[in-house]
């Protein structure tokens, strides 16, 4: 066996079901924040507008991470 005799492949699937969306959410949020700060640095007069839109834009990758957590919890319920 690749993983050994005591490893449950279903638990690896649960871990990946949470880890992949969480990593994608973190990367997406990092890129959004980086672009917003760059825009605020270039045009400080519109920083209030950019900041408000940034808060809304950060909700979408965060929802992806929450959906991954929900999927992992549902898969754990099927395993046991």
């Amino acid at each position: 066996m690749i993983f050994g005799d005591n490893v449950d492949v279903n638990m690896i699937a649960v871990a990946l079901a949470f880890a992949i969306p969480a990593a994608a959410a973190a990367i997406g949020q990092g890129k959004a924040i980086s672009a917003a700060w760059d825009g605020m640095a270039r045009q400080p007069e519109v920083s209030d507008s950019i900041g408000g839109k940034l808060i809304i834009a950060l909700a979408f990758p965060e929802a992806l991470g929450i959906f991954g957590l929900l999927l992992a919890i549902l898969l754990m319920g099927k395993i046991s």
Side-chain angles (χ1 to χ4, degrees), residues 2-78:
I2 295 173
F3 298 114
D5 293 332
N6 296 330
V7 176
D8 188 10
V9 178
N10 294 328
M11 291 305 288
I12 294 172
V14 168
L16 288 176
F18 178 63
I20 292 172
I27 291 170
Q29 287 179 341
K31 286 186 176 186
I33 291 170
S34 173
W37 282 354
D38 187 43
M40 287 181 207
R42 291 176 188 266
Q43 294 181 335
E45 63 273 5
V46 294
S47 63
D48 291 336
S49 173
I50 292 174
K53 291 175 183 167
L54 174 66
I55 298 299
I56 295 171
L58 288 178
F60 295 113
E62 189 67 28
L64 176 66
I66 292 170
F67 288 145
L69 175 63
L70 179 64
L71 178 64
I73 291 171
L74 289 173
L75 284 174
M76 281 181 19
K78 280 192 131 183

